[in-house]
Amino acid sequence: MPKIRDGLDAVTAFAGAAAAGMSLFLPFTFGAESVDSPYRVTSLINSVPRAAALGLIVAVVVAVLARPITRPGLVWLAATCGALALAINYFIGRTMTSTDVLTTQNYIDSLCGGVLFGALGICALRLRWPAVGYLLGVVTVFVYGEVVAVFSSNTSATASKSVHTPAWLVIAAVVLLTLNTLRHRHGMMPGIPRLAADLPITPIVAATVLALTLLVATDWLDREFDDLNGNTWQITLAVVVTLAAAFAAATLLPGRDGAGVLIAVSLGAAADSLADATSLGWHLLLVLLVATAAILAGLRWSSPWAVLLGAAVICLFATVAERFPWAFAWTAGLLALTAVAGFAAGSLRVGYLPSAVLGLGALYLPSILWSIPTRLRHWPTGTTSVDESIPGWVALTITIGAAAGLAVLYRIRPADNESAPRR
């Protein structure tokens, strides 16, 4: 059972991970008066996947730099500084009336969120209950961002209703992280064994390859559908590029740490194949309960193959979801995604902690399914809509490809590293 101090660390990790995740995954907050045209809103929409890619790279860089530090207070301080900068940028954004700096502030938001995400990951993932809180924050934001419509259109009339980080969460993260920094300021952790000289750079390279490749593939496919040229071969090429980038990033990481990247890419595609709603409402309580149970189950019984099987089930469900009543289909997809994502987070096993930060942060990267427009998924892409079953089949193809990549990774990497402790 967790002690009081473990509970405080867990709550702090949850609030910090949730605030950081929202800054990576969701558009920057703004006042209604700061958006005066669809062009401004479109600019913000386009900056969201780019900001997510930037934030992930920053998070991995911070994690690599923070990992050798043996004074936890310094790492908590780095996370607190990231949260404080996030809060300052947030409240400046709420008071700004100029639209010229809106996109820039979205990038700053993700950069600060990346600092918070990376430093907090190194703090939290070393201990059981803080790790549970951190993973719960990651999974909750991931599910929230996938099943709730971020934008319902690219018109200024609805822009102010877009999903963004709530003010109370940003404030809570700053306060809790400050308290934890003071609590841990005199602590010391055991020395960490040195790794190979070229190892620390590989997660940064892997994050850059994965983030930029997925971003380019998503942007390219988006333009194809905007120009009414999107069809089977363009989607196929984007799938191949996605899988190649995921496998390349996985092999760049030490041992079998890359399994988390392959799982994140498949799970992100599966989640994007589901329909979305205008809000989460009381379902948030279900998400928290199911995610917590699934994370604890994953910590006890790690199984990447079970995660991929669950992702495949979600994809198959997405292909037939339109045949069911919308309320049932959305709720069933929400619960299934929460359970699989929670189990995936708990099942993550790495020998090098920055690899875990990359695997978890990869959930927030853009997916090529963002660029495939359908009637029920509200991300504003092309002017045409494809059949509702297409995203499910595309996501299933990515999941099968990720499973093949995982089999190859396990074959070429020794099994000794699969259960290596987090360092």
Side-chain angles (χ1 to χ4, degrees), residues 95-273:
T95 59
M96 291 292 294
T97 57
S98 171
T99 58
D100 296 333
V101 297
L102 187 59
T103 301
T104 301
Q105 284 185 297
N106 190 45
Y107 289 123
I108 296 174
D109 189 58
S110 290
L111 191 151
C112 298
V115 173
L116 173 56
F117 193 84
L120 186 59
I122 297 300
C123 295
L125 293 176
R126 284 171 169 158
L127 301 171
R128 178 178 177 81
W129 292 109
V132 171
Y134 184 83
L135 297 176
L136 182 60
V138 171
V139 171
T140 301
V141 172
F142 170 67
V143 173
Y144 185 86
E146 293 289 359
V147 302
V148 174
V150 176
F151 285 96
S152 58
S153 75
N154 64 347
T155 63
S156 56
T158 60
S160 61
K161 299 178 182 178
S162 67
V163 178
H164 49 70
T165 313
W168 63 263
L169 181 59
V170 177
I171 296 172
V174 172
V175 173
L176 290 170
L177 284 165
T178 301
L179 292 176
N180 256 33
T181 299
L182 295 175
R183 285 181 57 242
H184 292 283
R185 67 186 184 278
H186 297 307
M188 291 291 293
M189 291 180 292
I192 301 174
R194 291 182 61 84
L195 300 173
D198 61 338
L199 186 58
I201 196 66
T202 54
I204 301 174
V205 176
T208 303
V209 169
L210 182 67
L212 296 185
T213 304
L214 294 187
L215 179 61
V216 169
T218 302
D219 280 348
W220 173 77
L221 190 59
D222 187 27
R223 289 194 299 272
E224 292 297 306
F225 275 104
D226 276 343
D227 296 336
L228 306 181
N229 296 322
N231 56 37
T232 303
W233 82 261
Q234 281 100 338
I235 295 176
T236 301
L237 179 59
V239 168
V240 171
V241 170
T242 295
L243 292 172
F247 185 74
T251 55
L252 282 169
L253 297 177
R256 294 185 172 184
D257 287 5
V261 172
L262 293 168
I263 290 172
V265 169
S266 65
L267 191 54
D272 281 332
S273 68

Side-chain angles (χ1 to χ4, degrees), residues 61-77:
V61 170
V62 171
V64 168
L65 295 176
R67 182 248 174 201
I69 298 176
T70 57
R71 297 195 61 163
L74 294 178
V75 188
W76 282 106
L77 178 61

